[in-house]
């Protein structure tokens, strides 16, 4: 490995003269070699130009050709799993099983998209035959399908160094659609980004695809990231991170001469609503499950359950003590980087200092002893205080839970109505309590991307029906999902061909349905 690593600009490498930065080991605080040089303006522009040049040939690939490429990327990523175990654990502090699991999730995700585009029906082909004799005017022949949107910029997520980074869900769905991808690496795991980026480039080469199919840029969000978003070749952005970062990129993209969509997945507290039977009949079991979900991955999952609404009273008080005890037993662990640990510390300090909040358990200000360590925390308040203090609805990203005691059903409904957009909301209770709570479910359905019954929100299945999205501020576009095959729709747009001669139509829209895909023909789905 050289002393200074550089960006991957298509098939060439960036210059070593850009501002250097280093990763560090969050468990020990130790600075890690090598240095990584930030991309220059010219390098960002070059990546954009190459992507623009590649867009046409990528859009022209068949579903099978794209599938072959995605499977080659998956094979290549799996082929470097031993290297990934070493580099990811040192850059993120994540344990080896998590790295192996996330590698599998990354390759599995790529293969799922490969299957999707190989089968081909995702393009939503629609055909309306002409009716020349129609009165008063003839109906023309109209055929539409989804086409790739063009070059996509992807910002790596700090909390998923593999599954939501260089070859993660945003990249996989954009490539599957037929879009070139330019990735902005996260400063916390540049070595991971390089290993995976090289695996992608190797697949681009071995599949004979255009050079600009993929680039990887190093550098700050406010410099390299913003220049990338402003590049005229870019047609969409995928992002996972903070609300401030996602919002800044959304506004920047909207202010371009040609505004483009930004699919930012940002903050969510993933509320849980307890119907009465839970605390009366299975309080310990629920508390244990909640604790497991809240401390999983040191609380650094976007679906971490940050707030629980329960009934006031004896059972509620006893639940608070049980939960406090469980949370106090969870050991302090290293968070992913110092920025996340410091943001967690500030959130915990603010909450501890609030006169509206009872501290159930927290060690110091939540910042543990060494490296980027954080200790678990739990707080309690009541519904009136929660509704009167907007800061209590904010995400404290990390292993922290707020328990909110409600004065009966009406207060729970009032809280549900006041919620911001969320990735998920969970309801726990019996089936009959659920059927008596349709009013709560109806409200929650307007607030979230995924509703759960008697299940905790962590653990996001990658499949066809997953919705990992939700109204703002969970995301900048509540009509989309960033996990599952539906994610491809973010990077595609419908195009209609009117009166085209049969030989000039895409195969997906030909008369004989030579690809054998599902289509809507004259209003009939087949
Ligand atoms: P982040 O600070 O938003 O950074 C994510 C990426 O966006 C980085 O590449 C960053 O560049 C870039 N960026 C940030 N602000 C930007 C701006 N104003 N303009 C352009 N680019 C910008 O997120 P993070 O590092 O992952 O974690 C920080 C906080 O985000 C956490 O404490 C947590 O609160 C939140 N977070 C939430 C979720 C979730 O799913 N809910 C997930 C992860 C993080 P740099 O390389 O320069 O930093």
């Amino acid at each position: 490995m050289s002393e200074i690593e550089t960006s991957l600009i298509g098939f060439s490498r960036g210059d070593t003269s850009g501002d250097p930065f280093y990763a560090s080991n969050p468990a020990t605080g130790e600075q890690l070699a090598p240095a990584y040089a930030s991309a220059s303006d010219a390098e960002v522009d070059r990546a954009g130009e190459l992507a623009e040049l590649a867009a046409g040939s990528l859009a022209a690939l068949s579903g099978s050709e794209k599938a072959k490429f995605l499977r080659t990327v998956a094979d290549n990523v799996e082929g470097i799993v031993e290297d990934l175990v070493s580099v990811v654990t040192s850059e993120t502090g994540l344990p080896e099983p998590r790295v192996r699991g996330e590698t599998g999730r990354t390759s599995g995700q790529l293969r799922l998209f490969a299957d999707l585009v190989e089968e081909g029906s995702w393009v939503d082909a629609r055909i309306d035959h002409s009716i020349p004799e129609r009165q008063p005017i003839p109906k023309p022949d109209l055929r539409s399908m989804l086409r790739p949107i063009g070059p996509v910029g992807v910002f790596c997520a700090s909390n998923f160094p593999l599954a939501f980074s260089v070859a993660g869900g945003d990249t996989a769905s954009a490539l599957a659609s037929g879009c070139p991808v330019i990735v902005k690496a996260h400063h916390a795991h540049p070595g991971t980004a390089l290993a995976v980026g090289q695996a992608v480039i190797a697949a681009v080469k071995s599949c004979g695809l255009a050079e600009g199919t993929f680039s990887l840029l190093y550098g700050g969000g406010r410099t390299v990231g913003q220049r990338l978003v402003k590049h005229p070749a870019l047609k969409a952005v995928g992002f996972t991170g903070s609300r401030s970062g996602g919002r800044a990129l959304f506004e920047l993209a909207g202010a371009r001469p040609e505004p483009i969509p930004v699919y930012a997945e940002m903050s969510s507290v993933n509320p849980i609503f307890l119907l009465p039977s839970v605390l009366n009949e299975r309080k310990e079991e629920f508390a244990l499950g909640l604790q497991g979900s809240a401390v999983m991955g040191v609380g650094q999952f976007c679906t971490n359950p940050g707030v629980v609404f329960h009934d006031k009273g004896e059972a509620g008080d006893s639940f608070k003590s049980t939960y406090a005890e469980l949370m106090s037993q969870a050991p302090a662990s290293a968070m992913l980087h110092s920025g996340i640990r410091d943001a967690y510390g500030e959130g915990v300090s603010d909450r501890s200092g609030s006169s509206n909040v009872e501290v159930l358990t927290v060690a110091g200000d939540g910042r543990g002893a060494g490296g980027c360590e954080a200790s678990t925390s739990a707080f309690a308040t009541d519904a009136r205080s929660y509704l009167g203090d907007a800061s209590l609805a904010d995400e404290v990203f990390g292993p922290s839970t707020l328990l909110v005691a409600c004065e009966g059903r009406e207060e729970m409904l009032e809280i549900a109505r006041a919620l911001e957009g969320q990735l998920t909301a969970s309801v726990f209770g019996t089936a009959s309590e659920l059927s008596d709570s349709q009013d709560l479910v109806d409200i929650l359905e307007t607030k979230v991307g995924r509703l759960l019954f008697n299940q905790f929100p962590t653990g996001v299945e990658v499949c066809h029906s997953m919705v990992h999205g939700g109204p703002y501020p969970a995301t900048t576009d509540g009509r989309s999902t960033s996990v599952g095959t539906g994610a491809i729709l973010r990077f595609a747009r419908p195009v209609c061909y009117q009166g085209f001669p049969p030989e000039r139509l895409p195969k997906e829209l030909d008369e004989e349905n030579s690809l054998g895909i599902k289509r809507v023909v004259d209003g009939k789905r087949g």
Side-chain angles (χ1 to χ4, degrees), residues 155-159 184-187 219-222 225-226 239-246 248-249 265-268 301-302 337 339-340 343-344 395 397 423:
F155 284 71
C156 293
S158 61
N159 58 343
K184 200 298 248 173
H186 196 281
H187 66 266
R222 285 164 188 78
Q226 296 201 0
F239 169 96
T240 304
S242 64
R243 192 190 301 195
S244 59
L249 295 175
E265 193 241 289
M266 304 172 294
S267 58
S268 180
F301 288 122
C302 24
H337 65 79
I340 289 192
Y344 176 69
E395 179 183 47
F397 194 69
L423 294 171

Side-chain angles (χ1 to χ4, degrees), residues 408-467:
R409 185 181 176 74
E410 276 314 311
E411 236 175 28
M412 266 199 199
L413 292 176
E414 193 182 344
I415 283 199
R417 277 186 217 102
L419 280 176
E420 291 187 314
Q422 306 287 342
L423 294 171
T424 73
S426 311
V427 179
F428 279 73
T430 63
S432 97
E433 281 176 319
L434 185 69
S435 81
D436 292 342
S437 305
Q438 194 55 45
D439 43 5
L440 175 63
V441 172
D442 288 346
I443 298 167
L444 294 179
E445 198 190 86
T446 67
K447 304 282 185 178
V448 308
R450 180 162 57 110
L451 269 172
L452 299 94
F453 180 55
N454 280 341
Q455 294 186 22
F456 292 98
T458 40
V460 181
E461 187 70 28
V462 181
C463 59
H464 302 289
S465 44
M466 176 49 67
V467 175

Side-chain angles (χ1 to χ4, degrees), residues 100-392:
R100 291 190 186 278
E102 214 183 299
T103 304
R105 182 180 164 126
T106 306
S107 55
Q109 204 160 242
L110 286 156
R111 293 200 175 99
L112 186 69
F113 280 109
D115 293 347
L116 182 84
V117 297
E118 190 170 56
E119 190 282 330
S121 302
W122 78 274
V123 299
D124 190 20
R126 292 158 187 251
I127 296 176
D128 282 286
H129 287 109
S130 66
I131 309 177
E133 66 282 9
R134 190 182 69 175
Q135 293 300 329
I137 48 166
K139 180 180 177 185
D141 187 274
L142 294 152
R143 298 171 188 233
S144 72
M145 65 179 281
L146 296 174
R147 299 290 295 137
I149 197 168
V152 173
V154 169
F155 284 71
C156 293
S158 61
N159 58 343
F160 277 97
L162 297 164
F164 265 82
S165 287
V166 175
D170 288 341
T171 298
S173 51
L175 292 174
S177 172
C179 304
V181 170
I182 305 171
V183 171
K184 200 298 248 173
H186 196 281
H187 66 266
H189 35 70
T192 307
L194 184 61
V196 179
Q198 286 172 326
V200 180
I201 297 273
V204 174
K205 286 183 178 168
S206 67
C207 292
L209 303 188
E211 180 178 3
T213 299
F214 178 84
S215 290
L216 169 72
L217 301 172
Y218 288 116
R222 285 164 188 78
T223 49
V224 168
Q226 296 201 0
R227 191 170 181 93
L228 171 63
V229 171
K230 286 197 273 191
H231 194 284
L234 221 64
K235 298 297 178 204
V237 175
F239 169 96
T240 304
S242 64
R243 192 190 301 195
S244 59
R247 183 73 200 229
L249 295 175
F250 177 76
E251 282 165 13
L252 190 70
R256 289 169 34 127
E258 179 199 352
I260 55 172
V262 172
Y263 295 100
E265 193 241 289
M266 304 172 294
S267 58
S268 180
V269 296
N270 305 297
I272 293 182
F273 289 81
L274 299 190
L275 303 177
S277 68
V278 180
L279 295 190
N280 293 330
E281 293 166 19
R282 51 183 170 119
K283 182 188 67 195
E284 276 81 16
E285 177 205 325
F286 172 78
L288 203 59
L290 176 65
Q291 189 252 19
S293 181
V295 306
M296 188 188 287
V298 203
Q300 299 164 109
F301 288 122
C302 24
T303 49
N304 183 268
V307 61
V308 178
F309 301 104
H310 63 87
D311 281 336
K312 247 185 194 150
E314 233 173 80
D317 290 342
S318 154
F319 165 58
K320 284 197 295 189
S321 325
T322 306
Y323 192 62
E325 181 63 26
L326 283 171
M327 284 297 264
S328 67
Q329 288 164 6
S333 306
M335 297 192 86
L336 289 159
H337 65 79
S338 58
I340 289 192
R341 193 272 318 268
D342 290 346
Y344 176 69
E346 277 162 34
V348 167
S349 289
D350 289 351
R351 215 145 263 192
S352 303
S354 166
S355 57
N356 294 319
V357 168
E358 177 191 349
V359 179
L360 296 179
T361 178
V362 63
D365 65 355
R367 279 175 257 224
C372 294
E373 264 194 6
S375 55
T376 53
S377 59
F379 303 93
T381 191
D382 60 75
R384 298 305 344 143
S385 303
Y386 185 84
L387 287 165
D389 180 351
S391 74
L392 296 182

